[in-house]
């Protein structure tokens, strides 16, 4: 999850944030880009695929309250990351790969 950098080219990121920061984000293992707003179209919580299929992510009281006020109706919003470092991404995806994908593959022979 590239946060506010989603959709920007490498050249654009380098121009806006400088070469040093660009390299830190590109080469850093635990360096996160700036977070995206939860009202941005790039926020995963605004993607219907995440709302429909995610069941193992806890709910966010703050996001649920803000969305409920905005819509005038009670809305439960899951707490999805607004930015991720490579480390965060690996911490999130490797356990799933090992427990589900790899296990299912080994079970099938």
């Amino acid at each position: 999850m590239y946060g506010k950098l989603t959709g920007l080219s490498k050249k654009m990121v380098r121009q806006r944030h400088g070469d040093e920061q660009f390299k830190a984000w590109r080469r850093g293992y635990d360096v996160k880009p700036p977070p995206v707003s939860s009202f941005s179209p790039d926020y995963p919580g605004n993607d219907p695929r995440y709302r429909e299929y995610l069941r193992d992510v806890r709910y966010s009281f703050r996001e649920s309250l803000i969305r409920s006020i905005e819509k005038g109706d009670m809305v439960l919003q899951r707490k999805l990351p607004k930015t991720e470092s490579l480390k965060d991404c690996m911490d999130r995806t490797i356990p799933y790969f090992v427990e589900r994908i790899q296990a299912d593959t080994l079970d099938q022979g």
Side-chain angles (χ1 to χ4, degrees):
M1 168 71 187
Y2 296 113
K4 278 188 179 176
L5 306 180
T6 301
L8 299 178
S9 68
K10 293 176 192 174
K11 183 178 180 181
M12 182 76 70
V13 172
R14 188 177 273 128
Q15 287 174 346
R16 288 185 183 179
H17 300 281
D19 197 49
E20 188 175 326
Q21 184 61 61
F22 172 76
K23 287 179 182 176
W25 286 325
R26 293 279 299 159
R27 298 179 181 162
Y29 176 67
D30 58 357
V31 180
K32 295 180 183 183
V36 69
S37 163
S38 59
F39 290 97
S40 167
D42 297 322
Y43 176 61
N46 295 329
D47 186 329
R49 295 172 295 177
Y50 290 100
R51 287 195 303 269
E52 186 175 339
Y53 297 111
L54 276 182
R55 300 286 179 246
D56 59 344
V57 179
R58 69 177 197 225
Y59 287 105
S60 167
F61 175 76
R62 182 178 177 274
E63 288 295 327
S64 296
L65 180 63
I66 291 169
R67 299 297 174 125
S68 295
I69 292 170
E70 176 193 34
K71 294 189 190 247
D73 194 17
M74 183 61 187
V75 177
L76 290 177
Q77 190 75 21
R78 299 215 182 251
K79 187 169 183 71
L80 298 170
K82 295 179 181 179
T83 185
E84 283 185 312
S85 65
L86 178 58
K87 179 187 181 314
D88 297 332
C89 183
M90 291 175 70
D91 289 346
R92 179 175 54 82
T93 58
I94 289 175
Y96 180 81
F97 175 80
V98 170
E99 294 167 12
R100 303 294 282 284
I101 298 171
Q102 188 176 25
D104 289 349
T105 303
L106 291 174
D107 288 344
Q108 293 174 5

